[in-house]
Amino acid sequence: MTSEITLFVNPTAGRGRGAHAALPAASALRAAGFSVRTVLGENAADALARAREAVAGGTGALVAVGGDGMANLALQAVAGTRTPFGLVAAGTGNDFARALGLPMGDPAAAGRLIAESLGTGRLRDVDLGRVNGTWFGTVLASGFDSRVNDRGNRMRLPVGRFKYDVAMLAELAAFRPFPYRVTLDDGETREIEATLVAVGNGSSYGGGMRICPGADLDDGLFDITVVGDCTRATLLKIFPRVYRGTHVDHPVVSVFRAARVELLAEGITAYADGEPLGPLPLTAECIPAAVRVALP
């Protein structure tokens, strides 16, 4: 492995925390004997092109500095290769870092961990989800939660995470379940009324909401959480339990496991790692050992 590491940085992640996190992470890598090259890019497409060039050119590792969006972008460059992937969590949600057991809010510690992992060869192959060639690490969201994302993304005010709270209240006012057609592993098709369907490679989204609490990055399977037809009052009762993962015990919630899932519903946009994938229908596949990760 070459000693040159590519640092893939989102300077705006976490309201500027990405730029601040890059410096101590790079210092820790250099102190361990690695040379560090930083990739920024003029926009997401340019940054991804530069990251892919680095991977194709034989970089020793691609280390993303930012949140789940930056991790997702980096995965598009490194998934399916043998180039190690590192993550310095410096975003708002950091759910992929949480799933991997990585430090959050301590970029120097993350840099030291990555340096030690690369130096000793202590790496781990983990699963990723894939939809039409696009990779994701955590959760594919569809239904009520993705409608909240849609509405929040259209809002100019308020700013920050608070606008998604406002968007949630607005979606609750218009709340209704959606007719879904769900097919698991080319098996029987289920036609159901559902509030949301979440496809989990990792267990959480939205900054620690454990929507798929049993999801395992190493088992080659998704955990699919279906919140069925319920009232607004029931949804409000279930929602706080998502942070503990105990919502899956509620009678309106079902959990399935599969390596492949087809989702069809009208008027629903899917999001994965918080990034828009596009409208349903779509097919998601769990790809075993799709990325090699630097871990504790």
Side-chain angles (χ1 to χ4, degrees), residues 216-227:
D216 186 337
L217 293 175
D218 298 297
D219 63 358
L221 296 170
F222 293 127
D223 274 34
I224 299 111
T225 299
V226 177
V227 179

Side-chain angles (χ1 to χ4, degrees), residues 175-180 191-197 226-235 238 250-254:
F175 174 74
R176 61 180 174 82
F178 309 98
Y180 272 86
E191 297 198 6
I192 55 176
E193 295 285 319
T195 301
L196 65 85
V197 178
V226 177
V227 179
D229 187 357
C230 66
T231 65
R232 187 181 295 112
T234 299
L235 181 60
I238 293 171
H250 195 281
V252 302
V253 180
S254 302

